[in-house]
Amino acid sequence: MNKINAVLFDLDGTLIDSEYFYFSNWAPILENDYGLNIDFDEWISKFAGHTLSRNVQMLNNDYKLNVDEEDMWFATRSRYAKANMKNIRLMPYAKDVLQAVKESGKQIGLVTSSYQNTVDIVLGEHNLLKYFKFFVTRELVENPKPNPEPYLLAINKLMIPKHEIVVVEDTSTGCAAAKAAGLYCIAVTQQEIEKNRLTHADQVLNDLAEVKKSLLSLN
């Protein structure tokens, strides 16, 4: 590759350990309101990395439920507020990789299907907002991941050639969006289910320590 001048990070499951948080709030709603019991492995396999809209559609199509998207939006937001997103932990080495990338002189952006309020709460709690030049969040795009629109918007904000940009994602959904936008994508996950779906990634690594080493080698 040519010299890398920018890194675009995903949020959920990449920089923050949020998937169990989302699962623990969705599972009671699905059980109490719809009679559906799911475990964490099923959450990772079928729900993780997708938008609320897509997951509602999947529940209706695959599980033959009758879930209203607006009802689910209000139900999940209510539980998120009570659960306190400030308690979401960082993924191991998250701050280390951001600090190293910043010190190397590369620009850093965040491209996520979460809303800006979630970004502000979680990254603000960990004092990480300062590392990012910009945020592409759910409310800024019409078509979220796996559509390339979020990454195409990020490219426009960076105003540098695509070959100077690297994406860091944790799911096949996010990786598909990055590749469709013409970007190099490093996938980071320890979930074997997800690794098997990441054949389109340029690299598949185990943790952010390995990502840090890879990013600093792309000079």
Side-chain angles (χ1 to χ4, degrees), residues 1 3 7 22 39 69 72 74 76 93 116-117 122 152 162-163 180 190 197 211 219:
M1 293 184 65
K3 179 176 172 60
V7 182
Y22 291 127
D39 59 23
E69 183 175 335
M72 183 59 79
F74 281 110
T76 53
Y93 312 108
Q116 187 66 51
N117 182 60
V122 182
L152 293 174
K162 291 182 181 181
H163 63 257
Q190 293 185 354
R197 297 190 291 212
V211 171
N219 288 316

Side-chain angles (χ1 to χ4, degrees), residues 137-148:
T137 53
R138 177 65 184 88
E139 58 265 58
L140 295 183
V141 298
E142 181 176 350
N143 303 296
K145 304 171 189 177
N147 190 285

Side-chain angles (χ1 to χ4, degrees), residues 129-197:
L129 292 169
K130 62 187 178 183
Y131 288 99
F132 298 91
K133 180 179 181 179
F134 61 83
F135 306 95
V136 175
T137 53
R138 177 65 184 88
E139 58 265 58
L140 295 183
V141 298
E142 181 176 350
N143 303 296
K145 304 171 189 177
N147 190 285
E149 182 183 345
Y151 281 112
L152 293 174
L153 178 56
I155 292 167
N156 287 337
K157 288 179 176 292
L158 287 169
M159 295 187 293
I160 63 175
K162 291 182 181 181
H163 63 257
E164 296 180 8
I165 305 169
V166 170
V167 169
V168 181
E169 280 277 359
D170 72 305
T171 66
S172 57
T173 301
C175 185
K179 297 306 296 179
L183 299 175
Y184 188 94
C185 184
I186 298 175
V188 53
T189 183
Q190 293 185 354
Q191 300 289 342
E192 290 302 322
I193 292 173
E194 200 60 47
K195 284 183 179 181
N196 292 334
R197 297 190 291 212

Side-chain angles (χ1 to χ4, degrees), residues 90-140:
L90 296 177
M91 296 296 287
Y93 312 108
K95 188 171 184 178
D96 288 348
V97 71
L98 291 173
Q99 183 67 31
V101 172
K102 182 178 181 180
E103 289 177 354
S104 73
K106 298 175 178 61
Q107 300 179 71
I108 304 175
L110 189 79
V111 181
T112 175
S113 293
S114 290
Y115 288 84
Q116 187 66 51
N117 182 60
T118 299
V119 173
D120 292 340
I121 291 172
V122 182
L123 294 187
E125 177 67 16
H126 294 285
N127 197 29
L128 296 185
L129 292 169
K130 62 187 178 183
Y131 288 99
F132 298 91
K133 180 179 181 179
F134 61 83
F135 306 95
V136 175
T137 53
R138 177 65 184 88
E139 58 265 58
L140 295 183

Side-chain angles (χ1 to χ4, degrees), residues 21-42:
F21 174 87
Y22 291 127
F23 162 74
S24 65
N25 284 283
W26 275 68
I29 298 171
L30 294 175
E31 182 178 1
N32 296 333
D33 295 352
Y34 303 99
L36 176 65
N37 289 288
I38 63 170
D39 59 23
F40 187 58
D41 286 341
E42 191 170 3

